[in-house]
Amino acid sequence: MLKVHVKYHLKPGTRDAFLAGITEKTLQDAVLHEDGCLKYDYSPVADDPEGVPDLVLLEEEWTSLQAQQTHLKQPHMARIAELKDQYMDHMDLDMEEL
């Protein structure tokens, strides 16, 4: 199993627009229906301990690294990449194989 944790540090004031974009046209649902996807959950951080506004966490779980790598090549990931380009300042990514 592979766990992926992503912290999206978004441009000021864009968190709601980013989350709305992720849920448009069921992008998140498309990922959840991919082979090997066990979890794909975006959640806003209301009270970040570091005081960082516009922070969104993404928790992913995959049956394997191969399933996660295949996921990155899916057509709907192009739309997610557009949203990241538009709203993201930077991100932190951690992966853990179990």
Side-chain angles (χ1 to χ4, degrees), residues 6 22-23 26 30-31 34 37-38 51 58 61 70 73 75 78 81 95:
V6 183
I22 291 297
T23 58
T26 63
V31 175
E34 291 179 34
C37 183
L38 303 172
L58 170 60
E61 291 182 9
T70 299
K73 298 173 187 170
M95 298 175 83

Side-chain angles (χ1 to χ4, degrees), residues 46-85:
D47 296 317
D48 179 48
E50 299 170 16
V52 178
D54 298 304
L55 184 66
V56 171
L57 301 180
L58 170 60
E59 292 184 75
E60 302 178 42
E61 291 182 9
W62 297 90
T63 55
S64 67
L65 177 60
Q66 181 179 9
Q68 193 268 343
Q69 295 296 299
T70 299
H71 148 74
L72 296 174
K73 298 173 187 170
Q74 298 304 307
H76 50 266
M77 292 306 294
R79 178 61 183 137
I80 292 175
E82 289 173 8
L83 292 167
K84 290 193 280 188
D85 286 344

